[in-house]
Amino acid sequence: PDVVVFGHPVDGAKYSLDGGATWTALDGVLAPANGTDQRRGINIAFDRSSSVVGGLTQRVVLCVPGRGVYVSTTGVTGTFALLGSGYPT
């Protein structure tokens, strides 16, 4: 699939399965906290050692300023869970 994932400092994290024609918010992921440095954005990592289902890497990790680290083991279309609060240094 034509998958695109991005993190926006105000709108949060979103994904597209059609090359950007339509967008969906990542389930369970909050936008960066108010008052955080907006230039930091959201860091997104795909675990290449995880399984792939329907062309989608299943383990995805996001680091969101002022919120914490989120992980999904069911890909970008799955639900993300908060692993820890705060932004790692």
Side-chain angles (χ1 to χ4, degrees):
D2 295 326
V3 179
V4 180
V5 181
F6 81 95
H8 188 273
V10 175
D11 293 333
K14 297 185 180 191
Y15 72 90
S16 173
L17 298 178
D18 55 15
T22 59
W23 295 94
T24 304
L26 293 178
D27 187 27
V29 178
L30 297 173
N34 289 336
T36 59
D37 185 346
Q38 297 297 317
R39 295 171 294 171
R40 292 167 93 182
I42 297 173
N43 296 304
I44 304 168
F46 298 89
D47 183 351
R48 294 175 55 183
S49 68
S50 71
S51 61
V52 175
V53 176
L56 301 174
T57 301
Q58 295 301 288
R59 184 170 169 83
V60 183
V61 180
L62 287 88
C63 190
V64 182
R67 299 290 186 193
V69 177
Y70 293 86
V71 67
S72 171
T73 56
T74 53
V76 295
T77 61
T79 299
F80 284 77
L82 181 64
L83 292 181
S85 61
Y87 192 79
T89 56

